[in-house]
Amino acid sequence: MLALRLTRSAHTAVQLRRLLVAAASAGTGFLLLSTLGHALGHPDPASSALRLAWCAVPLAATVYFAIAVARTDPGTRPRPGLSAIGLGPARLMAVSAATTALSCALGSLLALLVFLQLRGDLTGMPSDGAATDFLATGRPLPLPAALTLLALVPLSASAAVAVALRPREPVAGAAAGRTYGRFGAYRRTPVRESFGAYGRFGRQLGAAARGRRTAEAVPEREGTAEEVPGAAAGTEPADAGPAVPLTPPSGLPWGIAVLAVGLAVEAFASRTGGGGTPGDQPSALLGLALTAVGLALAGPGLTHLCGRLLQTVRPGALRLLAGRVLMTEATRIGRPLGVVCAVLSAAYAMASLHDREDASADPLVVLGVLLVAGCTTATLLTAAVEARQARAGTTAALRRLGAATGTLRRAAVLRAGALLALFGPLTLVVAELSAWPLAR
């Protein structure tokens, strides 16, 4: 009931994002039902298993988008005072998971209705054509199997949201190192103390004084470490402007290595040759998947590097502000940006196989591509909204100090232009290198 009330009383933008999650769930559910219909009409289990395996990509994109929407939901965000009425972080996490499950269940129900309508089970007038063999018209639809496939999206999305929003202790900041000591007392040091240490009055007074100084330096805010500016390890104090990580994200070397391995596998596949269908080129498809994973892993590190490059060669206030914001939001913005680049490069590479595919699968291929591209793009836009919410306090402080609104807008345009200048050519190069083996 609480999830229903929060869902009904949300703002228009929040409701729109939830409807987009429901639409993505409907598209993924329809693809899953189409694999069931293809299995009913074709006795080849290998082909049906391959179609079901391809549905894992839209399913992952839908779950990824659902997590991004749940993170930006203001109704389920931890706030001071909610724990007193029984709405602690664990309860709000459960509400977020339930809200996500409701949105995805609505989409799955819509997919089932559309699939039954196209089959003619509701009106008795099935759709005809060469591209509708996946409907298995005239064959009985096993309802338990259909419901099992439709339950994959709500269960996966709600479980992923619960894991992503689970309550965790902050790594550093106001509550850094806060653990439970003997007798349920809070302890701010990870070192184990002897039993007699609690009898030393001055020791506990020193720890309490250090805790008060830390709380005054960093304003305490209920929530995860990602929501508190400067709460991540290795950042500057929060009163020095945007909290800038001193070290770049650790995924850049791994991303470059996986990307290089993927391109090498695709080059090897082009030398050995292969057939004209994706199933006949497993090495090329493996390399394509590795290049996509490499771009996704390297996204945060490249975003951090882009912010650092903006601040080189005697930067002014505008470039300094834009670069620091990019470095601060490298993980939040860089990961979905890398995923979008990976999807675009993979779609460009798979477009070389368009003429070789079976014509009856074209509507489903188009639906899958649009679904994955739409979910990843919407995830990137949602991450941008989350980043804007996270730096709302910093923006308000800059305006109180006299920063003009036009300056902040120019900084945002500069950040977008710098990211486009770095990720645009990189995506084109990786797409060309990935498409070369598949086009042979």
Side-chain angles (χ1 to χ4, degrees), residues 89-139:
R91 182 71 180 277
L92 290 178
M93 177 268 295
V95 172
S96 298
T99 304
T100 304
L102 288 176
S103 301
C104 294
L106 177 61
S108 298
L109 179 60
L110 179 61
L112 180 60
L113 293 177
V114 172
F115 189 78
L116 294 178
Q117 175 69 24
L118 293 178
R119 278 173 48 90
D121 295 338
L122 299 181
T123 60
M125 298 178 61
S127 300
D128 53 355
T132 58
D133 61 340
F134 58 87
L135 297 176
T137 305
R139 297 176 179 269

mmCIF file of all heavy atoms in Angstrom, residues 89-139:
data_model
loop_
_atom_site.group_PDB
_atom_site.id
_atom_site.type_symbol
_atom_site.label_atom_id
_atom_site.label_comp_id
_atom_site.label_asym_id
_atom_site.label_seq_id
_atom_site.Cartn_x
_atom_site.Cartn_y
_atom_site.Cartn_z
ATOM 1 N N PRO A 89 16.304 3.264 5.886
ATOM 2 C CA PRO A 89 16.866 2.925 4.573
ATOM 3 C C PRO A 89 16.422 1.564 4.064
ATOM 4 O O PRO A 89 16.164 1.402 2.868
ATOM 5 C CB PRO A 89 18.382 2.970 4.817
ATOM 6 C CG PRO A 89 18.549 3.873 5.990
ATOM 7 C CD PRO A 89 17.349 3.642 6.846
ATOM 8 N N ALA A 90 16.308 0.580 4.957
ATOM 9 C CA ALA A 90 15.890 -0.753 4.514
ATOM 10 C C ALA A 90 14.438 -0.747 4.032
ATOM 11 O O ALA A 90 14.104 -1.367 3.019
ATOM 12 C CB ALA A 90 16.073 -1.756 5.644
ATOM 13 N N ARG A 91 13.576 -0.038 4.736
ATOM 14 C CA ARG A 91 12.171 0.024 4.329
ATOM 15 C C ARG A 91 12.015 0.791 3.012
ATOM 16 O O ARG A 91 11.229 0.392 2.137
ATOM 17 C CB ARG A 91 11.363 0.715 5.431
ATOM 18 C CG ARG A 91 9.862 0.798 5.146
ATOM 19 C CD ARG A 91 9.187 -0.534 5.244
ATOM 20 N NE ARG A 91 7.766 -0.441 4.960
ATOM 21 C CZ ARG A 91 6.836 -0.080 5.839
ATOM 22 N NH1 ARG A 91 7.194 0.235 7.096
ATOM 23 N NH2 ARG A 91 5.560 -0.051 5.505
ATOM 24 N N LEU A 92 12.758 1.871 2.836
ATOM 25 C CA LEU A 92 12.686 2.618 1.586
ATOM 26 C C LEU A 92 13.252 1.813 0.423
ATOM 27 O O LEU A 92 12.773 1.927 -0.709
ATOM 28 C CB LEU A 92 13.447 3.934 1.736
ATOM 29 C CG LEU A 92 12.807 4.973 2.658
ATOM 30 C CD1 LEU A 92 13.681 6.203 2.761
ATOM 31 C CD2 LEU A 92 11.418 5.351 2.176
ATOM 32 N N MET A 93 14.269 1.002 0.700
ATOM 33 C CA MET A 93 14.774 0.116 -0.340
ATOM 34 C C MET A 93 13.716 -0.881 -0.776
ATOM 35 O O MET A 93 13.535 -1.146 -1.981
ATOM 36 C CB MET A 93 16.019 -0.612 0.163
ATOM 37 C CG MET A 93 16.620 -1.619 -0.799
ATOM 38 S SD MET A 93 15.973 -3.290 -0.541
ATOM 39 C CE MET A 93 16.596 -3.643 1.094
ATOM 40 N N ALA A 94 12.983 -1.427 0.181
ATOM 41 C CA ALA A 94 11.903 -2.357 -0.150
ATOM 42 C C ALA A 94 10.791 -1.660 -0.940
ATOM 43 O O ALA A 94 10.214 -2.246 -1.869
ATOM 44 C CB ALA A 94 11.339 -2.975 1.126
ATOM 45 N N VAL A 95 10.499 -0.410 -0.588
ATOM 46 C CA VAL A 95 9.483 0.347 -1.334
ATOM 47 C C VAL A 95 9.941 0.601 -2.769
ATOM 48 O O VAL A 95 9.157 0.488 -3.721
ATOM 49 C CB VAL A 95 9.170 1.664 -0.606
ATOM 50 C CG1 VAL A 95 8.280 2.556 -1.459
ATOM 51 C CG2 VAL A 95 8.491 1.379 0.722
ATOM 52 N N SER A 96 11.216 0.921 -2.957
ATOM 53 C CA SER A 96 11.739 1.125 -4.313
ATOM 54 C C SER A 96 11.656 -0.154 -5.133
ATOM 55 O O SER A 96 11.272 -0.121 -6.314
ATOM 56 C CB SER A 96 13.193 1.605 -4.230
ATOM 57 O OG SER A 96 13.282 2.839 -3.568
ATOM 58 N N ALA A 97 12.000 -1.285 -4.499
ATOM 59 C CA ALA A 97 11.915 -2.562 -5.215
ATOM 60 C C ALA A 97 10.464 -2.889 -5.575
ATOM 61 O O ALA A 97 10.182 -3.381 -6.682
ATOM 62 C CB ALA A 97 12.529 -3.674 -4.373
ATOM 63 N N ALA A 98 9.547 -2.622 -4.650
ATOM 64 C CA ALA A 98 8.132 -2.895 -4.941
ATOM 65 C C ALA A 98 7.594 -1.987 -6.038
ATOM 66 O O ALA A 98 6.822 -2.426 -6.910
ATOM 67 C CB ALA A 98 7.311 -2.729 -3.663
ATOM 68 N N THR A 99 7.993 -0.706 -6.024
ATOM 69 C CA THR A 99 7.555 0.213 -7.076
ATOM 70 C C THR A 99 8.085 -0.215 -8.442
ATOM 71 O O THR A 99 7.371 -0.167 -9.456
ATOM 72 C CB THR A 99 8.022 1.633 -6.750
ATOM 73 O OG1 THR A 99 7.539 2.004 -5.450
ATOM 74 C CG2 THR A 99 7.519 2.620 -7.769
ATOM 75 N N THR A 100 9.329 -0.646 -8.483
ATOM 76 C CA THR A 100 9.900 -1.137 -9.737
ATOM 77 C C THR A 100 9.188 -2.387 -10.223
ATOM 78 O O THR A 100 8.920 -2.547 -11.420
ATOM 79 C CB THR A 100 11.395 -1.413 -9.557
ATOM 80 O OG1 THR A 100 12.051 -0.231 -9.078
ATOM 81 C CG2 THR A 100 12.040 -1.854 -10.856
ATOM 82 N N ALA A 101 8.877 -3.282 -9.300
ATOM 83 C CA ALA A 101 8.157 -4.495 -9.678
ATOM 84 C C ALA A 101 6.775 -4.174 -10.239
ATOM 85 O O ALA A 101 6.314 -4.808 -11.197
ATOM 86 C CB ALA A 101 8.051 -5.433 -8.476
ATOM 87 N N LEU A 102 6.098 -3.168 -9.659
ATOM 88 C CA LEU A 102 4.784 -2.783 -10.160
ATOM 89 C C LEU A 102 4.869 -2.222 -11.585
ATOM 90 O O LEU A 102 4.055 -2.557 -12.449
ATOM 91 C CB LEU A 102 4.153 -1.752 -9.221
ATOM 92 C CG LEU A 102 3.661 -2.268 -7.865
ATOM 93 C CD1 LEU A 102 3.166 -1.106 -7.017
ATOM 94 C CD2 LEU A 102 2.568 -3.303 -8.045
ATOM 95 N N SER A 103 5.866 -1.364 -11.825
ATOM 96 C CA SER A 103 6.017 -0.791 -13.170
ATOM 97 C C SER A 103 6.330 -1.880 -14.202
ATOM 98 O O SER A 103 5.743 -1.903 -15.295
ATOM 99 C CB SER A 103 7.126 0.262 -13.161
ATOM 100 O OG SER A 103 6.825 1.303 -12.243
ATOM 101 N N CYS A 104 7.233 -2.780 -13.848
ATOM 102 C CA CYS A 104 7.597 -3.841 -14.790
ATOM 103 C C CYS A 104 6.455 -4.838 -14.983
ATOM 104 O O CYS A 104 6.257 -5.361 -16.095
ATOM 105 C CB CYS A 104 8.852 -4.564 -14.299
ATOM 106 S SG CYS A 104 10.333 -3.539 -14.283
ATOM 107 N N ALA A 105 5.692 -5.119 -13.928
ATOM 108 C CA ALA A 105 4.547 -6.014 -14.073
ATOM 109 C C ALA A 105 3.482 -5.414 -14.984
ATOM 110 O O ALA A 105 2.844 -6.133 -15.770
ATOM 111 C CB ALA A 105 3.954 -6.327 -12.698
ATOM 112 N N LEU A 106 3.298 -4.094 -14.905
ATOM 113 C CA LEU A 106 2.361 -3.434 -15.812
ATOM 114 C C LEU A 106 2.808 -3.585 -17.265
ATOM 115 O O LEU A 106 2.002 -3.862 -18.158
ATOM 116 C CB LEU A 106 2.248 -1.958 -15.441
ATOM 117 C CG LEU A 106 1.350 -1.095 -16.330
ATOM 118 C CD1 LEU A 106 -0.089 -1.591 -16.293
ATOM 119 C CD2 LEU A 106 1.427 0.372 -15.908
ATOM 120 N N GLY A 107 4.104 -3.424 -17.510
ATOM 121 C CA GLY A 107 4.611 -3.608 -18.863
ATOM 122 C C GLY A 107 4.492 -5.042 -19.346
ATOM 123 O O GLY A 107 4.163 -5.287 -20.519
ATOM 124 N N SER A 108 4.744 -6.012 -18.471
ATOM 125 C CA SER A 108 4.613 -7.413 -18.862
ATOM 126 C C SER A 108 3.164 -7.763 -19.197
ATOM 127 O O SER A 108 2.898 -8.518 -20.146
ATOM 128 C CB SER A 108 5.136 -8.314 -17.739
ATOM 129 O OG SER A 108 6.512 -8.074 -17.495
ATOM 130 N N LEU A 109 2.231 -7.215 -18.425
ATOM 131 C CA LEU A 109 0.820 -7.441 -18.723
ATOM 132 C C LEU A 109 0.440 -6.853 -20.075
ATOM 133 O O LEU A 109 -0.303 -7.471 -20.857
ATOM 134 C CB LEU A 109 -0.039 -6.842 -17.612
ATOM 135 C CG LEU A 109 -1.555 -6.967 -17.772
ATOM 136 C CD1 LEU A 109 -1.968 -8.434 -17.839
ATOM 137 C CD2 LEU A 109 -2.272 -6.260 -16.636
ATOM 138 N N LEU A 110 0.954 -5.665 -20.380
ATOM 139 C CA LEU A 110 0.690 -5.054 -21.678
ATOM 140 C C LEU A 110 1.275 -5.889 -22.815
ATOM 141 O O LEU A 110 0.658 -6.063 -23.873
ATOM 142 C CB LEU A 110 1.268 -3.642 -21.700
ATOM 143 C CG LEU A 110 1.103 -2.852 -23.003
ATOM 144 C CD1 LEU A 110 -0.369 -2.657 -23.331
ATOM 145 C CD2 LEU A 110 1.816 -1.509 -22.904
ATOM 146 N N ALA A 111 2.475 -6.441 -22.611
ATOM 147 C CA ALA A 111 3.086 -7.300 -23.632
ATOM 148 C C ALA A 111 2.249 -8.544 -23.881
ATOM 149 O O ALA A 111 2.073 -8.976 -25.031
ATOM 150 C CB ALA A 111 4.501 -7.684 -23.207
ATOM 151 N N LEU A 112 1.719 -9.130 -22.813
ATOM 152 C CA LEU A 112 0.879 -10.318 -22.974
ATOM 153 C C LEU A 112 -0.394 -10.004 -23.742
ATOM 154 O O LEU A 112 -0.815 -10.771 -24.626
ATOM 155 C CB LEU A 112 0.541 -10.898 -21.597
ATOM 156 C CG LEU A 112 -0.335 -12.149 -21.577
ATOM 157 C CD1 LEU A 112 0.336 -13.290 -22.337
ATOM 158 C CD2 LEU A 112 -0.664 -12.556 -20.156
ATOM 159 N N LEU A 113 -1.009 -8.867 -23.452
ATOM 160 C CA LEU A 113 -2.229 -8.493 -24.156
ATOM 161 C C LEU A 113 -1.965 -8.241 -25.641
ATOM 162 O O LEU A 113 -2.744 -8.665 -26.503
ATOM 163 C CB LEU A 113 -2.843 -7.246 -23.517
ATOM 164 C CG LEU A 113 -3.397 -7.427 -22.091
ATOM 165 C CD1 LEU A 113 -3.909 -6.106 -21.551
ATOM 166 C CD2 LEU A 113 -4.483 -8.485 -22.059
ATOM 167 N N VAL A 114 -0.860 -7.554 -25.954
ATOM 168 C CA VAL A 114 -0.536 -7.299 -27.358
ATOM 169 C C VAL A 114 -0.220 -8.599 -28.084
ATOM 170 O O VAL A 114 -0.647 -8.819 -29.233
ATOM 171 C CB VAL A 114 0.638 -6.302 -27.450
ATOM 172 C CG1 VAL A 114 1.128 -6.162 -28.888
ATOM 173 C CG2 VAL A 114 0.227 -4.945 -26.907
ATOM 174 N N PHE A 115 0.485 -9.502 -27.433
ATOM 175 C CA PHE A 115 0.833 -10.774 -28.070
ATOM 176 C C PHE A 115 -0.419 -11.610 -28.330
ATOM 177 O O PHE A 115 -0.567 -12.207 -29.409
ATOM 178 C CB PHE A 115 1.810 -11.532 -27.170
ATOM 179 C CG PHE A 115 2.406 -12.750 -27.804
ATOM 180 C CD1 PHE A 115 3.430 -12.640 -28.724
ATOM 181 C CD2 PHE A 115 1.943 -14.011 -27.473
ATOM 182 C CE1 PHE A 115 3.987 -13.769 -29.319
ATOM 183 C CE2 PHE A 115 2.487 -15.144 -28.059
ATOM 184 C CZ PHE A 115 3.514 -15.016 -28.984
ATOM 185 N N LEU A 116 -1.317 -11.645 -27.364
ATOM 186 C CA LEU A 116 -2.564 -12.384 -27.579
ATOM 187 C C LEU A 116 -3.430 -11.732 -28.642
ATOM 188 O O LEU A 116 -4.129 -12.418 -29.402
ATOM 189 C CB LEU A 116 -3.329 -12.483 -26.250
ATOM 190 C CG LEU A 116 -2.677 -13.321 -25.148
ATOM 191 C CD1 LEU A 116 -3.531 -13.291 -23.890
ATOM 192 C CD2 LEU A 116 -2.443 -14.757 -25.604
ATOM 193 N N GLN A 117 -3.395 -10.405 -28.722
ATOM 194 C CA GLN A 117 -4.157 -9.709 -29.745
ATOM 195 C C GLN A 117 -3.625 -10.039 -31.139
ATOM 196 O O GLN A 117 -4.404 -10.281 -32.082
ATOM 197 C CB GLN A 117 -4.087 -8.193 -29.499
ATOM 198 C CG GLN A 117 -4.737 -7.339 -30.561
ATOM 199 C CD GLN A 117 -6.245 -7.471 -30.590
ATOM 200 O OE1 GLN A 117 -6.856 -7.844 -29.584
ATOM 201 N NE2 GLN A 117 -6.856 -7.178 -31.736
ATOM 202 N N LEU A 118 -2.315 -10.064 -31.299
ATOM 203 C CA LEU A 118 -1.739 -10.390 -32.608
ATOM 204 C C LEU A 118 -1.980 -11.847 -32.982
ATOM 205 O O LEU A 118 -2.119 -12.169 -34.168
ATOM 206 C CB LEU A 118 -0.240 -10.089 -32.599
ATOM 207 C CG LEU A 118 0.149 -8.612 -32.486
ATOM 208 C CD1 LEU A 118 1.663 -8.463 -32.442
ATOM 209 C CD2 LEU A 118 -0.436 -7.801 -33.632
ATOM 210 N N ARG A 119 -2.041 -12.716 -31.999
ATOM 211 C CA ARG A 119 -2.336 -14.124 -32.278
ATOM 212 C C ARG A 119 -3.790 -14.361 -32.631
ATOM 213 O O ARG A 119 -4.139 -15.395 -33.210
ATOM 214 C CB ARG A 119 -1.974 -14.984 -31.054
ATOM 215 C CG ARG A 119 -0.504 -15.336 -30.945
ATOM 216 C CD ARG A 119 -0.225 -16.032 -29.631
ATOM 217 N NE ARG A 119 -1.184 -17.103 -29.367
ATOM 218 C CZ ARG A 119 -1.009 -18.385 -29.752
ATOM 219 N NH1 ARG A 119 0.094 -18.717 -30.411
ATOM 220 N NH2 ARG A 119 -1.910 -19.304 -29.468
ATOM 221 N N GLY A 120 -4.640 -13.435 -32.259
ATOM 222 C CA GLY A 120 -6.056 -13.616 -32.497
ATOM 223 C C GLY A 120 -6.781 -14.321 -31.383
ATOM 224 O O GLY A 120 -7.953 -14.704 -31.548
ATOM 225 N N ASP A 121 -6.146 -14.514 -30.232
ATOM 226 C CA ASP A 121 -6.797 -15.189 -29.113
ATOM 227 C C ASP A 121 -7.870 -14.328 -28.453
ATOM 228 O O ASP A 121 -8.751 -14.856 -27.768
ATOM 229 C CB ASP A 121 -5.751 -15.590 -28.069
ATOM 230 C CG ASP A 121 -4.780 -16.625 -28.600
ATOM 231 O OD1 ASP A 121 -5.136 -17.316 -29.574
ATOM 232 O OD2 ASP A 121 -3.659 -16.734 -28.062
ATOM 233 N N LEU A 122 -7.790 -12.999 -28.633
ATOM 234 C CA LEU A 122 -8.776 -12.107 -28.007
ATOM 235 C C LEU A 122 -9.911 -11.750 -28.955
ATOM 236 O O LEU A 122 -11.066 -11.626 -28.522
ATOM 237 C CB LEU A 122 -8.077 -10.823 -27.527
ATOM 238 C CG LEU A 122 -6.984 -11.001 -26.471
ATOM 239 C CD1 LEU A 122 -6.406 -9.648 -26.082
ATOM 240 C CD2 LEU A 122 -7.525 -11.712 -25.234
ATOM 241 N N THR A 123 -9.603 -11.571 -30.230
ATOM 242 C CA THR A 123 -10.619 -11.147 -31.190
ATOM 243 C C THR A 123 -10.948 -12.205 -32.223
ATOM 244 O O THR A 123 -11.922 -12.050 -32.962
ATOM 245 C CB THR A 123 -10.146 -9.874 -31.919
ATOM 246 O OG1 THR A 123 -8.924 -10.152 -32.607
ATOM 247 C CG2 THR A 123 -9.921 -8.741 -30.929
ATOM 248 N N GLY A 124 -10.158 -13.249 -32.318
ATOM 249 C CA GLY A 124 -10.379 -14.276 -33.320
ATOM 250 C C GLY A 124 -9.912 -13.907 -34.708
ATOM 251 O O GLY A 124 -10.194 -14.631 -35.669
ATOM 252 N N MET A 125 -9.178 -12.790 -34.853
ATOM 253 C CA MET A 125 -8.658 -12.346 -36.153
ATOM 254 C C MET A 125 -7.149 -12.206 -36.031
ATOM 255 O O MET A 125 -6.624 -11.138 -35.690
ATOM 256 C CB MET A 125 -9.286 -11.006 -36.559
ATOM 257 C CG MET A 125 -10.791 -11.066 -36.736
ATOM 258 S SD MET A 125 -11.489 -9.461 -37.155
ATOM 259 C CE MET A 125 -10.629 -9.133 -38.700
ATOM 260 N N PRO A 126 -6.392 -13.281 -36.269
ATOM 261 C CA PRO A 126 -4.937 -13.217 -36.124
ATOM 262 C C PRO A 126 -4.301 -12.417 -37.247
ATOM 263 O O PRO A 126 -4.850 -12.282 -38.346
ATOM 264 C CB PRO A 126 -4.524 -14.688 -36.173
ATOM 265 C CG PRO A 126 -5.587 -15.349 -36.982
ATOM 266 C CD PRO A 126 -6.858 -14.616 -36.657
ATOM 267 N N SER A 127 -3.119 -11.877 -36.958
ATOM 268 C CA SER A 127 -2.359 -11.149 -37.969
ATOM 269 C C SER A 127 -1.720 -12.155 -38.912
ATOM 270 O O SER A 127 -1.261 -13.220 -38.508
ATOM 271 C CB SER A 127 -1.279 -10.285 -37.308
ATOM 272 O OG SER A 127 -1.867 -9.361 -36.425
ATOM 273 N N ASP A 128 -1.706 -11.802 -40.198
ATOM 274 C CA ASP A 128 -1.114 -12.685 -41.198
ATOM 275 C C ASP A 128 0.059 -11.981 -41.845
ATOM 276 O O ASP A 128 0.202 -10.760 -41.786
ATOM 277 C CB ASP A 128 -2.131 -13.099 -42.253
ATOM 278 C CG ASP A 128 -2.831 -11.907 -42.882
ATOM 279 O OD1 ASP A 128 -2.574 -10.786 -42.410
ATOM 280 O OD2 ASP A 128 -3.629 -12.097 -43.820
ATOM 281 N N GLY A 129 0.922 -12.753 -42.460
ATOM 282 C CA GLY A 129 2.108 -12.215 -43.104
ATOM 283 C C GLY A 129 3.293 -13.122 -42.880
ATOM 284 O O GLY A 129 3.296 -13.971 -41.980
ATOM 285 N N ALA A 130 4.333 -12.923 -43.699
ATOM 286 C CA ALA A 130 5.515 -13.770 -43.589
ATOM 287 C C ALA A 130 6.342 -13.451 -42.354
ATOM 288 O O ALA A 130 7.142 -14.273 -41.924
ATOM 289 C CB ALA A 130 6.386 -13.604 -44.844
ATOM 290 N N ALA A 131 6.172 -12.260 -41.786
ATOM 291 C CA ALA A 131 6.982 -11.856 -40.642
ATOM 292 C C ALA A 131 6.301 -12.128 -39.310
ATOM 293 O O ALA A 131 6.712 -11.595 -38.288
ATOM 294 C CB ALA A 131 7.324 -10.371 -40.748
ATOM 295 N N THR A 132 5.256 -12.922 -39.276
ATOM 296 C CA THR A 132 4.525 -13.196 -38.034
ATOM 297 C C THR A 132 4.565 -14.668 -37.672
ATOM 298 O O THR A 132 3.678 -15.152 -36.981
ATOM 299 C CB THR A 132 3.068 -12.731 -38.164
ATOM 300 O OG1 THR A 132 2.469 -13.409 -39.277
ATOM 301 C CG2 THR A 132 2.979 -11.244 -38.367
ATOM 302 N N ASP A 133 5.590 -15.404 -38.136
ATOM 303 C CA ASP A 133 5.656 -16.817 -37.785
ATOM 304 C C ASP A 133 6.023 -17.037 -36.335
ATOM 305 O O ASP A 133 5.861 -18.136 -35.806
ATOM 306 C CB ASP A 133 6.655 -17.538 -38.694
ATOM 307 C CG ASP A 133 8.063 -16.982 -38.552
ATOM 308 O OD1 ASP A 133 8.188 -15.835 -38.070
ATOM 309 O OD2 ASP A 133 9.027 -17.691 -38.914
ATOM 310 N N PHE A 134 6.534 -15.984 -35.658
ATOM 311 C CA PHE A 134 6.877 -16.121 -34.245
ATOM 312 C C PHE A 134 5.646 -16.096 -33.347
ATOM 313 O O PHE A 134 5.758 -16.310 -32.138
ATOM 314 C CB PHE A 134 7.832 -14.994 -33.827
ATOM 315 C CG PHE A 134 7.286 -13.610 -34.041
ATOM 316 C CD1 PHE A 134 6.519 -12.991 -33.066
ATOM 317 C CD2 PHE A 134 7.535 -12.931 -35.224
ATOM 318 C CE1 PHE A 134 6.019 -11.724 -33.256
ATOM 319 C CE2 PHE A 134 7.038 -11.650 -35.420
ATOM 320 C CZ PHE A 134 6.284 -11.048 -34.443
ATOM 321 N N LEU A 135 4.466 -15.836 -33.898
ATOM 322 C CA LEU A 135 3.241 -15.805 -33.097
ATOM 323 C C LEU A 135 2.677 -17.196 -32.857
ATOM 324 O O LEU A 135 1.873 -17.376 -31.935
ATOM 325 C CB LEU A 135 2.186 -14.940 -33.784
ATOM 326 C CG LEU A 135 2.538 -13.453 -33.951
ATOM 327 C CD1 LEU A 135 1.452 -12.739 -34.739
ATOM 328 C CD2 LEU A 135 2.742 -12.801 -32.599
ATOM 329 N N ALA A 136 3.075 -18.184 -33.666
ATOM 330 C CA ALA A 136 2.556 -19.553 -33.540
ATOM 331 C C ALA A 136 1.033 -19.545 -33.575
ATOM 332 O O ALA A 136 0.360 -20.100 -32.695
ATOM 333 C CB ALA A 136 3.075 -20.225 -32.279
ATOM 334 N N THR A 137 0.485 -18.885 -34.606
ATOM 335 C CA THR A 137 -0.964 -18.796 -34.740
ATOM 336 C C THR A 137 -1.563 -20.180 -34.987
ATOM 337 O O THR A 137 -1.053 -20.961 -35.789
ATOM 338 C CB THR A 137 -1.322 -17.867 -35.899
ATOM 339 O OG1 THR A 137 -0.687 -16.597 -35.690
ATOM 340 C CG2 THR A 137 -2.809 -17.662 -35.986
ATOM 341 N N GLY A 138 -2.645 -20.482 -34.302
ATOM 342 C CA GLY A 138 -3.311 -21.770 -34.437
ATOM 343 C C GLY A 138 -2.820 -22.830 -33.488
ATOM 344 O O GLY A 138 -3.413 -23.916 -33.413
ATOM 345 N N ARG A 139 -1.764 -22.548 -32.756
ATOM 346 C CA ARG A 139 -1.257 -23.496 -31.767
ATOM 347 C C ARG A 139 -1.614 -23.003 -30.369
ATOM 348 O O ARG A 139 -1.581 -21.803 -30.096
ATOM 349 C CB ARG A 139 0.258 -23.655 -31.891
ATOM 350 C CG ARG A 139 0.703 -24.242 -33.227
ATOM 351 C CD ARG A 139 2.221 -24.285 -33.311
ATOM 352 N NE ARG A 139 2.664 -24.862 -34.579
ATOM 353 C CZ ARG A 139 2.900 -26.151 -34.755
ATOM 354 N NH1 ARG A 139 2.739 -27.009 -33.747
ATOM 355 N NH2 ARG A 139 3.304 -26.592 -35.941
#
